[in-house]
mmCIF file of all heavy atoms in Angstrom:
data_model
loop_
_atom_site.group_PDB
_atom_site.id
_atom_site.type_symbol
_atom_site.label_atom_id
_atom_site.label_comp_id
_atom_site.label_asym_id
_atom_site.label_seq_id
_atom_site.Cartn_x
_atom_site.Cartn_y
_atom_site.Cartn_z
ATOM 1 N N ALA A 156 7.416 -3.697 -12.164
ATOM 2 C CA ALA A 156 6.759 -4.865 -12.767
ATOM 3 C C ALA A 156 7.605 -5.467 -13.891
ATOM 4 O O ALA A 156 7.283 -6.550 -14.397
ATOM 5 C CB ALA A 156 5.385 -4.478 -13.303
ATOM 6 N N GLY A 157 8.662 -4.775 -14.279
ATOM 7 C CA GLY A 157 9.564 -5.330 -15.283
ATOM 8 C C GLY A 157 9.372 -4.817 -16.689
ATOM 9 O O GLY A 157 9.952 -5.374 -17.633
ATOM 10 N N PHE A 158 8.605 -3.743 -16.852
ATOM 11 C CA PHE A 158 8.421 -3.206 -18.201
ATOM 12 C C PHE A 158 9.691 -2.529 -18.685
ATOM 13 O O PHE A 158 10.309 -1.757 -17.959
ATOM 14 C CB PHE A 158 7.248 -2.217 -18.229
ATOM 15 C CG PHE A 158 5.903 -2.889 -18.223
ATOM 16 C CD1 PHE A 158 5.231 -3.104 -17.032
ATOM 17 C CD2 PHE A 158 5.333 -3.320 -19.401
ATOM 18 C CE1 PHE A 158 4.000 -3.743 -17.019
ATOM 19 C CE2 PHE A 158 4.100 -3.937 -19.415
ATOM 20 C CZ PHE A 158 3.424 -4.162 -18.216
ATOM 21 N N ARG A 159 10.031 -2.798 -19.941
ATOM 22 C CA ARG A 159 11.210 -2.181 -20.562
ATOM 23 C C ARG A 159 10.830 -1.073 -21.526
ATOM 24 O O ARG A 159 11.696 -0.417 -22.111
ATOM 25 C CB ARG A 159 12.031 -3.260 -21.269
ATOM 26 C CG ARG A 159 12.713 -4.236 -20.318
ATOM 27 C CD ARG A 159 13.316 -5.403 -21.057
ATOM 28 N NE ARG A 159 12.262 -6.270 -21.622
ATOM 29 C CZ ARG A 159 12.499 -7.330 -22.380
ATOM 30 N NH1 ARG A 159 13.741 -7.640 -22.693
ATOM 31 N NH2 ARG A 159 11.514 -8.069 -22.839
ATOM 32 N N CYS A 160 9.529 -0.884 -21.695
ATOM 33 C CA CYS A 160 9.016 0.212 -22.504
ATOM 34 C C CYS A 160 7.838 0.820 -21.766
ATOM 35 O O CYS A 160 6.886 0.106 -21.418
ATOM 36 C CB CYS A 160 8.572 -0.290 -23.882
ATOM 37 S SG CYS A 160 7.831 0.992 -24.928
ATOM 38 N N VAL A 161 7.921 2.117 -21.488
ATOM 39 C CA VAL A 161 6.866 2.805 -20.744
ATOM 40 C C VAL A 161 6.335 3.949 -21.592
ATOM 41 O O VAL A 161 7.095 4.733 -22.149
ATOM 42 C CB VAL A 161 7.389 3.351 -19.396
ATOM 43 C CG1 VAL A 161 6.317 4.154 -18.678
ATOM 44 C CG2 VAL A 161 7.855 2.193 -18.510
ATOM 45 N N LYS A 162 5.025 4.021 -21.674
ATOM 46 C CA LYS A 162 4.368 5.086 -22.414
ATOM 47 C C LYS A 162 3.665 6.019 -21.445
ATOM 48 O O LYS A 162 2.845 5.576 -20.633
ATOM 49 C CB LYS A 162 3.349 4.499 -23.404
ATOM 50 C CG LYS A 162 2.469 5.527 -24.097
ATOM 51 C CD LYS A 162 1.499 4.831 -25.045
ATOM 52 C CE LYS A 162 0.392 5.753 -25.489
ATOM 53 N NZ LYS A 162 -0.550 5.092 -26.422
ATOM 54 N N LEU A 163 3.987 7.313 -21.539
ATOM 55 C CA LEU A 163 3.403 8.313 -20.658
ATOM 56 C C LEU A 163 2.379 9.149 -21.396
ATOM 57 O O LEU A 163 2.645 9.688 -22.460
ATOM 58 C CB LEU A 163 4.492 9.259 -20.111
ATOM 59 C CG LEU A 163 5.731 8.653 -19.463
ATOM 60 C CD1 LEU A 163 6.673 9.760 -19.036
ATOM 61 C CD2 LEU A 163 5.348 7.794 -18.274
ATOM 62 N N LYS A 164 1.191 9.251 -20.819
ATOM 63 C CA LYS A 164 0.188 10.181 -21.325
ATOM 64 C C LYS A 164 0.525 11.562 -20.763
ATOM 65 O O LYS A 164 0.586 11.736 -19.531
ATOM 66 C CB LYS A 164 -1.213 9.759 -20.868
ATOM 67 C CG LYS A 164 -1.716 8.476 -21.502
ATOM 68 C CD LYS A 164 -2.373 8.756 -22.818
ATOM 69 C CE LYS A 164 -3.119 7.543 -23.348
ATOM 70 N NZ LYS A 164 -3.821 7.821 -24.609
ATOM 71 N N ILE A 165 0.755 12.531 -21.627
ATOM 72 C CA ILE A 165 1.098 13.875 -21.162
ATOM 73 C C ILE A 165 0.071 14.867 -21.703
ATOM 74 O O ILE A 165 -0.744 14.547 -22.559
ATOM 75 C CB ILE A 165 2.525 14.283 -21.581
ATOM 76 C CG1 ILE A 165 2.648 14.330 -23.119
ATOM 77 C CG2 ILE A 165 3.548 13.320 -20.992
ATOM 78 C CD1 ILE A 165 3.985 14.867 -23.614
ATOM 79 N N GLY A 166 0.126 16.085 -21.174
ATOM 80 C CA GLY A 166 -0.767 17.130 -21.646
ATOM 81 C C GLY A 166 -1.853 17.525 -20.671
ATOM 82 O O GLY A 166 -2.622 18.443 -20.932
ATOM 83 N N ALA A 167 -1.902 16.838 -19.510
ATOM 84 C CA ALA A 167 -2.965 17.141 -18.545
ATOM 85 C C ALA A 167 -2.476 18.026 -17.415
ATOM 86 O O ALA A 167 -3.258 18.762 -16.819
ATOM 87 C CB ALA A 167 -3.546 15.846 -17.965
#
Side-chain angles (χ1 to χ4, degrees):
F158 283 94
R159 291 170 291 176
C160 177
V161 176
K162 172 180 166 179
L163 308 178
K164 291 274 190 177
I165 62 174

